[in-house]
Amino acid sequence: MNDKNATANSPKIPPKIKAWPMYRAVVGVGVACGLAIVSVFELTGPVIQQNKIELRQKAIFEVLPGAMTSAAFRLTGDDRFEPTSSDSEGSDLVFAGFDDDSRLVGLAIETQGMGYQDVVRILYGYSFETETILGISVLESRETPGLGDRIETDEDFLGNFGILDVSLSPSGNEVAHPIEFVKPGKKTDPWQIDGISGATITSRATANMLRASTVWWIPRVRAQREDFEEPNGEE
Amino acid sequence: MVPNNKHALPSGTDEFLKGFWKQNPVFVQVLGMCPVLAVSNTAENALAMGLATSFVLLMSNIVVSSIRGFVPKQVRIVTFILVIATFVTIVDYLIQAISLELHKALGAFISLIVVNCLILGRAEAFASKNGVLRSILDGLGMGVGFTIALLCLGAVREIFGYGSLFGLELFGQHYQKWVVMVLPAGGFFTLAGWLLLFNWYETARARRKTLKEAVA
Amino acid sequence: MRQWAKTLEIRSSPHIASGKSVDDIMLNVVLALLPVTGFAIYAFGLAALITLTAAVVSCLVTEHVLCRLTGRNSSVGDWSVVVTGLLYGLTLPPGLAIWMVVVGGIMAVGLGKFLFGGLGYNPFNPALVGRAMLQAAFPVAMTTWPAMPVDKFTQVPSSTLAWPFTEPVYDSISGATPLAGWKFDRVMTEPADLLMGYVSGSTGETCALLILLGGVYLAMRKMMSWRIPTAILLTVAICSGLLQLNDPTKYAGPLFMLFSGGLMLGAVFMATDMVASPMTHLGSVLYGILIGLLVVVIRVWGGMPEGVMYAILLSNAVSPHIDNWIQPRVYGTKKRGQTP
Amino acid sequence: MSSILVLTAVVTIGGLTLTLASLLVVANHWLHVEEDPRIDAVEDMLPHTNCGSCGFPGCRPFAEALVSGAVLPGKCTVSPPEEHTRIAAYLGVDVGAEEKRIARLACAGGSNVSRNHARYVGLESCAAAALVAGGGKGCFWGCLGLDDCEVACTFDAITMNRHHLPVVDEDLCTACGDCVTACPKDLFSLQAQSHRLWVACRSQEEGDEILEDCQVACTACARCAMDAPGEIEMRGNLPVIDYTKNRFLSAEATQRCPTGAIVWLDAKKGALKGRAARKIIRQGSMKEAPT
Amino acid sequence: MNLFGTKTFAHGIHPPESKDDTSGLPIRQFPFAPSLVVPLSQHIGKPAIAVVREGQEVTRGQCIAKPDGFISVAMHAPASGTVRRIGLTPSITGKMVPGIFIEPFPASTQEILEGTACDASTADTQEIVAAVQQSGVVGLGGAGFPTHAKLQIPEGKFVDILVINGAECEPFLTTDHRVMLEHAEDVMAGIPYLMKATGASKTIIAVEANKPDAAETLRAAIPQDLEIEVEVLPVKYPQGAEKLLISALLGREIPSGGLPLDVHTLCVNVGTTAEIGQLLPHGKGIQERVITIGGPAVKNKGNYRIQIGTPLRFVLETVGVEEDITRVFLGGPMMGQAVSSMDIPITKGTTGVIAFSARETGFLDGHKQYPCIRCGYCLEACPIFLNPSQLGLLAEQDQHERMVDDFHLMDCFECGCCTFVCPSHIPLVQQFRIAKAAVRRMKAPV
Amino acid sequence: MNDDSLWSIFINACLINNFVLAYFLGICPFLGVSGKLGTATRMGGAVTFVMLVSSMCAYGIQVLLVQIDAPYLKLISFIAVIASTVQLVEMFIKKVSPVLFRALGIFLPLITTNCAILGLALFQTNKGYGFMQSIAYALGAGLGFTLALVLMAGLREKLELAKTPDIVKGTAITLMLAGLLSICFMGFAGLSN
Ligand SMILES: Cc1cc2nc3c(=O)[nH]c(=O)nc-3n(C[C@H](O)[C@H](O)[C@H](O)COP(=O)(O)O)c2cc1C
Ligand SMILES: Cc1cc2nc3c(=O)[nH]c(=O)nc-3n(C[C@H](O)[C@H](O)[C@H](O)COP(=O)(O)O)c2cc1C
Ligand SMILES: Cc1cc2nc3c(=O)[nH]c(=O)nc-3n(C[C@H](O)[C@H](O)[C@H](O)COP(=O)(O)O)c2cc1C
Ligand SMILES: Cc1cc2nc3c(=O)[nH]c(=O)nc-3n(C[C@H](O)[C@H](O)[C@H](O)CO)c2cc1C
Ligand code: SF4
Ligand code: SF4
Ligand code: SF4
Ligand code: SF4
Ligand code: FES
């Protein structure tokens, strides 16, 4: 820098750096901020937790019609399921839904896959009685509003569920007819999903992730059905 | 250090009102564009985002203007950002407590209020040089201006994109929704459209003014 | 003293000109498009005629009104907006609601051309801007295709006549375009049908032969760069050929790729829009290769069956860079190009 | 539980901020770079938005440019006008008290008194026309009247009168010199406002032949030079006024000019021509009200 | 025979040739005008200094102005007569330049005065250069650069090939064509002077394929002892521009901003060569030149030998023109300059006088100008490989520096190809001229 | 844990969900610094660099915060670290190489207040990316930002010579272009394997 000119032009000399004020400011403000955050977290934490559980339960009840309470189960290393707290998270969880009489309505299972724009996460309900998928609920999606999001709203599409067949083959260790995707109006068999015209990609992705997920989960959960029978959910 | 112009302070009302039009953060200063574009696909989201931002803006203005005396220049940005981040975290938790659905709709943009240029800009440009009272007025004015602008965008995008306003269906169920309006591109176009209107109005006004002067 | 009282005219040299003119070129493009247009009307009947008319008229009126509003001379007379309107109409599905056609036409000319300064300054191909806006705004309507061929010439799909701002209702089950058929159901269309245009698809994209005919006419009259379509088609053919060699069940072959979807119309008439494409020969070739690659990438790996429109628009955005980068080597200088 | 939370928070944030502050302190100590302190001062007056709307990649580069004099504070769209004036005042350099100068035109050959040999067709600009056989005007030196100067003047000080001759509004003219560079015929020059005697012609032709092309041209008759000896002298067939003797100059020198090529510019009454100038010329082609 | 030569340059255009009207007409002598004006500046460089007084009587061929420095040439009286006046006269650029007005004696025989001869076989370089300067010869190809200055090869440079430019690529013009046909021996007489002065070992005469008869005649006239070749090139504009001619013939590319000398060549017009061959052996000065008078508005079209200084008005009155004549220019239609005043004289650099009437000019101006549609025609036409489209866009925004720095504006030699082909009818060349003028003004020392 | 392949993470961040055109992050510098090609390229480089650095920092902090179980401090620690890192990098470059500072460093203050950087840190932790994945994500996001900026700069330079109507000039036209670019990028939707 042409320091001579610069200093000659203006008499101001850069102030000497003092460490203490800097520490005081940064650390002081930082600690104050930390305290503020903690107190707000303390205050709102339980409410948020409650909200989260409610949200998940809403979804579970949505995909398991008739369920009034739910419980979370974790898949253990030896392919058994053990109860766990209802606010835990992970991809090895299933949720059991129970009706008024504490009878098992079915299981809610989470799955995800690539949709039109980004990953779609859905929760689906499985019924031991009818061996069908009862319903789905979208947990997260960035699909186009009005198109991709019709997997949540399209009546015809939702009509696929409740009767969607995922029964096991006689041997009991694989799904007899993995779920298939067909063009709108082309459905002939109970294991087929009728697509949404205009949102083919998203509906196909939904069918695909359901297939992948059911093929993996259904044989396992059916083998351990009794794990879910005792109603020891938190609520 | 810097020659100060204490002589020409604008009145409090002006301080408050300037954010509405003359220095509207969105239309004139073109600041804080990210949340403006991202969270304005419905009027409701826009309103929520506007309020959240205004809250943070107001609070950080207050705190910054009260601690401005003891923060050295070298650590100013860090300190201010700490303050802002705190308020954003607080807002984040508050919204989660109020409604998780809303939180989902606003997405990461709540957290991103931290880096909204508008807030740091006001903190640096105004609050760090002015008293608490003025900073409150400024923060409120800017916040309202920001919210108004967000609402302008949100309303247009929701009306076209969903055929509704604040969730109220406007045109019946046969209405053809304009998907593009709720897509990212729609955000750009709507803002561009508003700016066009704004420019057009300003030029028309300027022309009228010169015409009047010419006559006089 | 002064015998010539009459004043002479003076002007800058050169004092003669080649006689080519913008309106002339544009008129020739319209001529080259006539066979395609004719086939579209023959194939899709009144529906296509209505769509094309609405497209051209909406573009013309938009241009005229905007010019008038901003106090410029109306530039309708140079035929360029007719080209835009016609090409825009040819890329639309035949049964598209009239009101949507009009909305897209306004977008094409207003947003795609006028706001950037009118003829010669549009960074993107206006016709495709119109189509892209429609595709983004009304994806369902833009991907619903009437089955081919329509039985009666006078039959107009009810979707065409939908009231403004209402959702169109489709009367018959729609057909799938060859590309969609391949992508979603692995159904291959007969090559002969592809060539002759007996498939479902956008109004003007189905008959590849007539499109090529128009292209050859324009190229021979030097009104269009033959390098761009050649580069595009070659790139697509080579890439798809290689992919097919790799796995014939997964990837369609060159013949199918070339003659399905909007590739022909896009390569011959839309990628060649000189305003939005590079100017040098080498630049044109690079631009063509880029379009070809993008088409293959989007068609093969993308979420949508067709990608010509996006490929062209994206390459339009790249073309200023190609132009910057590839400047002709000036006589008497060593280096090619220069960094502005 | 809550005390643990508080402790974690305080320890984490405290530790974090402590580290960061130390880093910054150290960095400030070791990495400090000597700079023109005015940059800091100016930066302080800028809004710190770093929005980039000034065309610079941030407030500091803009401040540097301001200090270096490359730009004006108004470029910043964020800060209000008061801030602009403040910065300008802080950086302000003394303007100095010079006599006001204005641009003056050395041609009076409007379309009413001059004729064209040829009709120019092509780009509507003086610079363009001048390159085509001089523009076709009968007098080679004369004003082409195609507005280049009017367009060049950013202060709207020039208007074309109805005879297509530029008229300078002395109040608006800032002597920026843009018109001087713009005119391809070099007809403008910057003159002190007190210079009232003015030769409004550039023609170097001698004799009455030029009158066929322009009735107000200087015929190099040298009467003005005779009437103001020592103050006006003939050079290259044109009178040249010695403005160092401005005090002695008066309208007297214009009186015998047969064409009115030399004029007295009165502050109020505009360009005054001598008695001998023919009547049509006296009505004036120079200070017309613009239409 | 190589009728359709293949050697040519890249890009360029094919305007209609329009030469048939005059190419078959032999050169005819033009009558003397009642008053002649010899401008002192007919060449590039400093104007000559008059050495006669008003009222003085002069003989045809007498030196009436002497060169002022090296880049300047002498002027000779085009007719025996009286010097009437030394004053300003209009020129083709519109500028008023000093000139000598001569009134020829009506009944004079107009014998040409001879001076000291210069023999190519004995004279050395300096003598030839001095003789050329004294003869007043400048480039007759149009540019008017003093030829002797070209012949003076600077220290450290050399010339191996001399190119005689007989391309005559401009439409309408046929002067060089006729000179080659009728004065082949003068051309051959001039070449030794040039070769001697420059030290070139070989000469190539370049002729376009539309003048096969000229090429034949020249070939037949080649003397035994000189290495001279006649090369026929395909017809293309602007083949005659020396840069491109040298590229076409020799594949040598003159560096940007450089001269033919940088690639060891020199290019001289055939007319110039013939004039040297005619004047130097007799020590005469140049007082007349061959000009094509043509164009649709001219009645008696032809190739004429005209006294330098003949006013244009006299020329056109003599050949007769159509009633509705609207446009006259000197030179060909591609680069020729429009004439604003009928009082300008024919000068050494005038190659032709072309006149158009309202019918043809109407065709030109009926075109509406459109914005550039980036068709790239101009890029394909520009022989210098510039980007006229970009230059034009920049010119509209007055970004002159960028035009120069990034887009090589200064390499444009205003051939007009880009404007000729532009379908948007953008006056590109004119914009470039303005930009160049502006840049020169800016760069000029104040 | 998330097991996306690095390549698909990269493509996703760069093209499909371009930070500027699909996520609206970093709009302010996108509008401000896209006028000139040279500036745009350098800004892109600077952002990519800072993204890489802050992505690594964010990964580290996240690991730490998970360990001490204090997710509520995520935001404040991220931003504090990013802000001071940027400041440090800026000072460092300024000291070490004034030339580089001219070329790059001057963009750094602009980056502190750039949502894209913080957005990247937040998204990557939300998605639970591992270290390498985070780097791929940062690289994709940075290059995507650069791509958008550079394309925009080319278009804007071209339009500088156009006769755009007055009321469109400035931010409005930039936004229009951004909208059109965003539509162009929709072509990449669903790009996979
Ligand atoms: C802007 C836009 C958004 C789109 N969004 C979705 C979407 O969210 N889900 C989807 O499946 N397809 C989406 N598409 C893709 C088309 O609608 C696609 O052509 C359609 O899914 C094909 O269905 P079809 O075979 O029934 O016509 C979108 C297309 C566009 C242009
Ligand atoms: C030049 C041209 C470009 C096109 N570009 C696209 C495109 O990028 N995307 C698209 O979905 N359709 C495009 N189309 C329409 C398609 O060619 C085709 O008709 C349609 O995409 C197939 O329907 P789908 O959405 O079911 O695949 C284009 C048509 C033409 C004539
Ligand atoms: C575009 C252009 C075209 C030219 N065409 C010719 C031509 O046809 N014949 C010619 O002799 N010179 C032509 N010239 C001039 C030559 O470049 C060169 O100056 C000339 O041949 C040199 O000879 P001179 O000095 O004897 O005139 C042309 C120049 C330019 C720029
Ligand atoms: C070969 C050729 C192809 C063209 N293609 C298009 C096109 O695809 N879309 C369009 O709007 N205009 C097209 N035009 C017309 C013209 O370039 C267009 O109106 C301008 O883009 C508007 O500025 C074309 C013109 C020619 C000569
Ligand atoms: S351009 Fe400048 S000098 Fe000329 S009149 Fe205008 S203000 Fe005065
Ligand atoms: S004064 Fe000069 S610039 Fe102005 S109109 Fe006359 S010639 Fe043109
Ligand atoms: S006039 Fe200049 S730019 Fe145009 S073609 Fe000739 S050399 Fe190229
Ligand atoms: S020929 Fe004319 S319209 Fe074509 S690119 Fe060149 S300047 Fe533009
Ligand atoms: S608000 Fe995102 S960069 Fe400014």
Side-chain angles (χ1 to χ4, degrees), chain B residues 77 81 115 117 120 124, chain D residues 31 43 48-52 56-62 64, chain F residues 29 33 39-54 79 81-118 145 149:
Chain B
I77 293 193
I81 276 196
V115 273
C117 314
L120 193 63
E124 281 266 9
Chain D
L31 300 178
E43 192 189 1
H48 292 276
T49 333
N50 287 325
C51 61
F56 288 85
C59 290
R60 190 166 182 92
F62 181 55
E64 285 170 18
Chain F
V33 200
T39 331
T41 326
R42 278 182 274 142
M43 178 72 178
V47 167
T48 313
F49 174 73
V50 174
M51 276 187 170
L52 276 173
V53 173
S54 56
I79 190 64
V81 169
I82 290 176
S84 27
T85 316
V86 173
Q87 205 170 339
L88 281 178
V89 170
E90 181 195 343
M91 287 180 184
F92 183 73
I93 297 182
K94 197 165 166 185
K95 183 77 183 180
V96 175
S97 157
V99 182
L100 195 64
F101 182 72
R102 286 265 147 234
L104 250 182
I106 44 172
F107 296 107
L108 291 168
L110 201 50
I111 296 172
T112 320
T113 50
N114 180 340
C115 324
I117 311 282
L118 185 66
F145 183 84
L149 209 62

Side-chain angles (χ1 to χ4, degrees), chain D:
Chain D
M1 167 125 177
S2 120
S3 63
I4 296 176
L5 262 180
V6 171
L7 204 66
T8 342
V10 170
V11 170
T12 324
I13 292 288
L16 192 73
T17 46
L18 208 65
T19 330
L20 294 178
S22 315
L23 276 174
L24 286 176
V25 168
V26 172
N28 260 313
H29 193 72
W30 290 110
L31 300 178
H32 189 76
V33 177
E34 202 70 31
E35 272 186 335
D36 186 344
R38 285 184 303 161
I39 298 178
D40 280 342
V42 172
E43 192 189 1
D44 263 343
M45 289 185 263
L46 291 171
H48 292 276
T49 333
N50 287 325
C51 61
S53 56
C54 51
F56 288 85
C59 290
R60 190 166 182 92
F62 181 55
E64 285 170 18
L66 280 174
V67 169
S68 75
V71 282
L72 294 175
K75 273 271 187 193
C76 175
T77 55
V78 180
S79 58
E82 308 90 67
E83 276 314 88
H84 296 163
T85 35
R86 220 175 113 206
I87 298 171
Y90 174 70
L91 287 175
V93 268
D94 209 273
V95 189
E98 252 180 67
E99 192 192 342
K100 182 177 165 69
R101 296 199 303 161
I102 41 160
R104 280 209 179 125
L105 177 72
C107 175
S111 56
N112 53 340
V113 291
S114 67
R115 65 180 274 281
N116 282 352
H117 279 162
R119 188 168 71 85
Y120 166 76
V121 249
L123 288 174
E124 290 280 308
S125 109
C126 308
L131 289 173
V132 180
K137 187 160 174 135
C139 165
F140 166 73
W141 295 269
C143 168
L144 298 174
L146 290 171
D147 309 3
D148 277 14
C149 45
E150 186 186 20
V151 175
C153 181
T154 39
F155 301 93
D156 286 338
I158 297 185
T159 35
M160 302 302 286
N161 72 14
R162 70 188 148 104
H163 304 304
H164 305 289
L165 212 58
V167 178
V168 179
D169 183 329
E170 299 197 355
D171 295 334
L172 293 179
C173 175
T174 61
C176 68
D178 283 351
C179 52
V180 179
T181 11
C183 178
K185 299 278 185 191
D186 283 332
L187 291 174
F188 274 108
S189 55
L190 298 180
Q191 300 286 342
Q193 207 166 16
S194 62
H195 297 175
R196 291 288 163 200
L197 196 60
W198 180 242
V199 181
C201 182
R202 270 283 165 86
S203 163
Q204 294 181 18
E205 271 197 85
E206 192 180 0
D208 287 353
E209 226 163 280
I210 180 79
L211 295 182
E212 231 171 275
D213 289 324
C214 175
Q215 299 172 35
V216 294
C218 166
T219 57
C221 65
R223 280 174 221 172
C224 52
M226 284 174 230
D227 292 349
E231 286 127 35
I232 301 181
E233 87 179 292
M234 295 305 288
R235 221 183 290 156
N237 289 339
L238 273 176
V240 176
I241 300 167
D242 183 355
Y243 284 116
T244 56
K245 305 197 176 122
N246 196 23
R247 287 170 293 143
F248 309 114
L249 295 174
S250 72
E252 200 43 43
T254 66
Q255 291 307 335
R256 286 204 301 142
C257 176
T259 60
I262 186 165
V263 291
W264 181 257
L265 297 170
D266 190 274
K268 292 200 192 73
K269 289 179 240 161
L272 299 180
K273 287 177 178 164
R275 281 185 301 275
R278 273 170 295 148
K279 194 159 170 257
I280 167 190
I281 302 168
R282 274 218 305 280
Q283 278 159 3
S285 60
M286 195 148 162
K287 268 260 157 138
E288 280 276 350
T291 43

Side-chain angles (χ1 to χ4, degrees), chain B residues 13-31:
Chain B
T13 344
D14 285 353
E15 207 72 89
F16 177 63
L17 286 179
K18 69 175 189 259
F20 284 47
W21 184 269
K22 247 184 22 213
Q23 285 187 51
N24 186 295
V26 175
F27 294 133
V28 178
Q29 302 189 42
V30 199
L31 279 183

Side-chain angles (χ1 to χ4, degrees), chain E residues 29-36 60 77-80 102-106 108-112 287-288 305-308 310-311 314 318:
Chain E
Q29 184 69 39
F30 209 75
F32 282 84
S35 163
L36 298 167
R60 188 171 184 211
S80 304
I102 295 176
E103 194 181 305
F105 301 131
S108 164
T109 53
Q110 300 294 6
E111 286 287 331
I112 302 173
Q287 12 63 37
E288 56 183 14
R305 186 175 288 282
I306 298 190
Q307 313 312 312
I308 285 160
T310 309
F314 177 78
T318 311

Side-chain angles (χ1 to χ4, degrees), chain C residues 1-4 6-23 25-26 73-75 77-78 117-121 221-224 227 274-281 319-320 323-324 327-333 337-340, chain E residues 15 171 243-244 247 252-256 313 316-317 321 323 325-329 333-336 338-340 342-343 364-365 370-375 377 379-380 384-387 389 393 396 402 406-408 411 416 419-421 423-425 429-430 433:
Chain C
M1 175 186 159
R2 292 174 198 265
Q3 189 173 337
W4 277 296
K6 142 189 245 107
T7 39
L8 290 173
E9 270 177 19
I10 49 175
R11 68 195 294 287
S12 191
S13 67
H15 306 281
I16 51 178
S18 69
K20 263 205 186 131
S21 157
V22 169
D23 42 348
I25 296 178
M26 295 302 166
N73 281 336
S74 174
S75 47
D78 61 26
L119 178 68
Y121 298 119
R221 299 212 55 181
K222 298 215 160 133
M223 289 174 171
M224 154 196 129
R227 288 177 181 81
M274 18 181 91
V275 178
S277 61
M279 308 230 285
T280 52
H281 293 171
S319 89
D323 263 342
N324 263 344
Q327 288 282 340
R329 186 193 65 86
V330 173
Y331 179 97
T333 59
Q338 61 279 101
T339 27
Chain E
K243 282 187 176 188
L244 306 173
S247 293
R252 299 180 185 173
E253 197 166 285
I254 299 164
S256 161
R313 183 184 311 283
L316 290 178
E317 274 166 8
V321 292
E323 270 300 300
I325 176 172
T326 53
R327 190 169 295 173
V328 176
F329 40 86
M334 291 302 294
M335 293 193 69
V339 169
S340 68
M342 283 294 177
D343 297 321
L364 259 179
D365 296 332
Y370 297 101
C372 168
I373 57 163
R374 301 167 45 83
C375 62
Y377 289 172
L379 270 83
E380 256 172 75
I384 300 294
F385 286 75
L386 300 176
N387 186 339
S389 154
L393 286 175
E396 256 164 45
R402 265 192 81 195
D406 299 341
F407 295 96
H408 299 261
D411 281 311
T419 312
F420 179 83
V421 295
S424 289
H425 312 295
V429 183
Q430 191 175 13
R433 282 201 191 108

